[in-house]
Amino acid sequence: MARNKFDIDENLESPFDIRHFRRALVYIKKQKKPMILAFVLSALSAGIALSAPLILQHVVDVTIPDKDVYSLVGWSALMLATIVVSVILATIRSRIMTTVGQDIIFDIRTDLFKHLQELPFKYYDDRPQGKILIRVVNYVNSVSDVLSNGIINFILEIVNLIFIAIFMFAVDVRLSFVILAGLPVFLGVMLLIKTRQRRAWQAVSNKSSNLNAYLQESISGIGVTQIFSREQRNEGIFTRLASNFRLEWMRALRYNALIPFTVDNLATIVTTMIYLVGLLALSPKDVTFGVILAMGSYAARFWQPILNLSNLYNSFINAVAYLERIFETLDEPVTVSDVPEAKELPSIRGNVTFDNVTFAYDPGVNILENLSFDVKPGESIALVGPTGAGKTTVVNLISRFYNLTGGSILIDGHDISQVKLKSLRSQMGIMLQDSFIFSGTILDNIRYGRLDATEEEIIAAAKTVCADEFIREFEQGYLTEVNERGSKLSQGQRQLISFARTLLADPRVLILDEATSSIDAKTERLLQQGLNELLKGRTSFIIAHRLSTIKNCDRIMFVSDKGIAECGSHDELMAQRGLYYRLYSAQKMEAQV
């Protein structure tokens, strides 16, 4: 199924089972000590609160009939004290669990982010960014309370039920069975809706993910939207997605609301039955009015934990839908990673060899087949050819952003699949057409790939790529703050900053993928002067739309038909009057027009 669209639901590849919950317990165990303290405080608070009905029974049956005013004041003060102490303990416990919940959020979110950084390009090729972001932010927020307060409250409510049952049976056995009579009905309702409720929240998760994906896409492309006046059409799409989310949300809430509705009505019926049985079926000799009042209070208290448990169950069902997504992301295989016996790649000279390389993004659809060539250290190689022929694929494979389908790639005789990724990529400089600028200063953006670089080295790199002049025109110079994606900068300025960032890393292999496409001809000529010096002694692979910029490369490879159709210098290929000749001639004619 195509998962890279905002309007297609994501099917879970592995259904939730008890193993997911056991994995969630790993995060809970890290907070074991504060959770135990919170449980003890909760138990004390609940135990103290349970003494209130016994005080009420004694006051009604003994203190008031005896007209003992002093005792009444004392018992009232004790009742107030139980309330105050119970509230104080509950408040302390609440503060502890708030911290625990945030710590659990931090741990899960950190693990997710770490894993996402290790996933290969293909994972991001197949999914909208919005469907990834919602898992790291919204879904983690949704499960944190269940994994912290939910566990404590679940145990506490069970203990509460046990304590209340003990108190009830100690006061009156017959009326206790009246209170318990509603349990079979409650359990039947729970079993009836369990599966439907879980599926309903899975549907909510899907629609929420779709809505978030389209929102993220729309914000990223807002400029294109306004250029083509697509606001009304996009609003219609958003309204449809939001409506789908609303419908699924309301359907899920109906299942959620059914449980407290059942509990509330059962509690009311049971409490009414206590008064009917106590006052009409039993004689005053068998049961006093104080006992009936106490049992009525215990009935409300007995069904309150059941109501709380049902709410916890609702929260758990909701969280299950999100936990499934979270663990599905954490289980996504890191297909491009260090092999068990991977070795450090030593300092390289830049000899790159493709040995019968075959590659396919999708099984059975090869982009490259049995591609072989050898590049000597310091050679400059230009890759040209029609769109989609595989030029960018070739340079992506050199950096091992994807695993090969067949064959091997060697650098200085080392198979890149057998070396550590960090040692490989740290010796490469890659400059893409889409120059990504991070929020922060221009200085930080250039330093991004080499954190130990001095300010002098950063400025030197900027001067080499002709970026220093326009940077100094800003009021804050290199300390100028730029927004995410560099919205305050022109496309050419973003590319020059990205160029400086790449060159600062002092790579042995330099990859330029349409790196000068957004730079004007004058700036490009100045930039070329610095690059000519920089490329000396470095192996470089250059993909350029303007063929005039790669005329001086040592070799030009025309990529076509899943391989290299032509290879040679500019003069050699022009003399052959083949594919490159026709492409160059056509482009030259367009420029003249």
Side-chain angles (χ1 to χ4, degrees), residues 105-143:
I105 285 178
F106 175 82
D107 290 339
I108 297 177
R109 192 167 285 150
T110 300
D111 286 350
L112 273 171
F113 183 72
K114 179 181 178 182
H115 189 67
L116 286 171
Q117 290 196 107
E118 296 173 349
L119 290 176
F121 280 13
K122 191 175 190 314
Y123 177 80
Y124 298 96
D125 293 340
D126 291 344
R127 292 164 178 79
Q129 294 179 12
K131 291 194 177 186
I132 300 172
L133 292 175
I134 196 172
R135 299 186 182 206
V136 182
V137 181
N138 302 52
Y139 291 176
V140 174
N141 287 340
S142 298
V143 303

Side-chain angles (χ1 to χ4, degrees), residues 384-391 558-560 583:
V384 300
T387 302
K391 303 183 296 294
F558 194 101
V559 182
S560 180
L583 182 64

Side-chain angles (χ1 to χ4, degrees), residues 48 68 103 154 162 198 288 422 520 536 540 569:
I48 292 171
D68 189 345
D103 288 342
F154 179 80
I162 295 173
R198 175 171 173 263
T288 65
K422 186 175 181 180
D520 60 79
K536 288 182 179 179
S540 58
S569 67

Side-chain angles (χ1 to χ4, degrees), residues 154-168:
F154 179 80
I155 298 173
L156 181 64
E157 298 302 346
I158 294 295
V159 173
N160 271 348
L161 279 176
I162 295 173
F163 282 168
I164 293 170
I166 292 173
F167 276 82
M168 286 191 320

